Amino acid sequence: MSVRLDVPVLHGSFVRLEPLTMSHASDLARAAEEDRSSYGFTMVPRAAEVEAYLAAQFARESDGLTPFAQIRTRDGMAVGCTALWDPRTWPGRQDLRAIEVGWTWLAASAQGAGINVEAKLLLFTYAFEALGVTRVDLKTDARNERSRRAIERLGARFEGVLRSWSPSWAPGEAGMLRDSAMFSVVAAEWPSVKAALHARLANASTG
């Protein structure tokens, strides 16, 4: 049986992560129709598809998905989504040993504004310090160089490429599998990763 997480609202200076609900649909429909040029390998719905997309995310909760809306604090708008995913427990125990951060997208106007960095800081902090995991995973389409660079800048370590590992979201590849570039942060690395993310956010605030 999949682990069900009851995660509270996670508050930051640039972004607030709220449990995803249908009340976020209208904002997300607007967010998804901004410049879509960075979404070549990412599942981002069109405006007309947002309600179906949200319903699908809610259905995945029984498989271990904990989805969030990314709320831009300066205007209170939902500008994207993210999630905790694939929680894994220790053998014979109920406490968690690992979890993935994924299902992430942001409106073009919210990219490069500190929101992604702070959202990852909030999720990593919750995973390591509230859930007590020893590992956080991140993965992306192996062809998505932009996403791979962004994950590396978070302080996650590249572990390799798993071939035909995940469903592809690239146009024209429905029903196909992609190669996934795998990254992680482990508990021993978390203090230094946390300090580096705080430093990046401090620079974003003064910039």
Side-chain angles (χ1 to χ4, degrees):
M1 180 181 295
S2 296
V3 177
R4 301 294 293 270
L5 302 179
D6 184 17
V7 183
V9 176
L10 302 177
H11 294 272
S13 298
F14 297 103
V15 66
R16 180 174 70 252
L17 301 182
E18 296 181 354
L20 188 65
T21 70
M22 278 294 179
S23 67
H24 298 117
S26 60
D27 280 0
L28 292 174
R30 287 192 292 274
E33 290 299 332
E34 294 183 16
D35 179 2
R36 296 178 60 88
S37 60
S38 65
Y39 299 155
F41 299 102
T42 306
M43 183 211 278
V44 181
R46 303 301 308 223
E49 301 166 341
V50 164
E51 290 192 5
Y53 169 85
L54 296 182
Q57 292 295 80
F58 302 148
R60 293 182 180 100
E61 291 183 38
S62 62
D63 292 326
L65 185 75
T66 304
F68 302 91
Q70 302 197 68
I71 310 298
R72 185 166 51 200
T73 57
R74 66 173 174 81
D75 58 11
M77 298 291 292
V79 292
C81 297
T82 192
L84 292 170
W85 169 239
D86 191 25
R88 283 104 68 196
T89 59
W90 291 93
R93 290 156 50 182
Q94 292 299 309
D95 48 322
L96 294 181
R97 59 183 172 84
I99 201 163
E100 181 177 328
V101 171
W103 298 91
T104 299
W105 64 271
L106 278 172
S109 63
Q111 297 174 21
I115 289 175
N116 181 60
V117 174
E118 188 170 58
K120 295 302 193 293
L121 174 61
L122 293 171
L123 292 171
F124 290 175
T125 300
Y126 191 81
F128 284 115
E129 299 180 12
L131 298 178
V133 302
T134 60
R135 171 189 170 96
V136 173
D137 310 333
L138 304 99
K139 68 176 183 288
T140 189
D141 192 306
R143 299 166 293 182
N144 192 343
E145 293 294 339
R146 184 176 187 273
S147 178
R148 290 175 65 160
R149 290 193 300 271
I151 293 172
E152 288 175 340
R153 286 196 299 271
L154 294 170
R157 181 174 299 185
F158 175 60
E159 296 182 322
V161 173
L162 296 180
R163 297 178 298 164
S164 297
W165 185 254
S166 308
S168 175
W169 307 118
E173 296 185 0
M176 298 175 63
L177 293 175
R178 73 181 195 199
D179 295 348
S180 288
M182 308 297 295
F183 298 81
S184 70
V185 178
V186 298
E189 300 162 346
W190 169 233
S192 61
V193 169
K194 181 179 182 180
L197 292 175
H198 275 294
R200 285 185 65 184
L201 289 171
N203 289 335
S205 297
T206 57

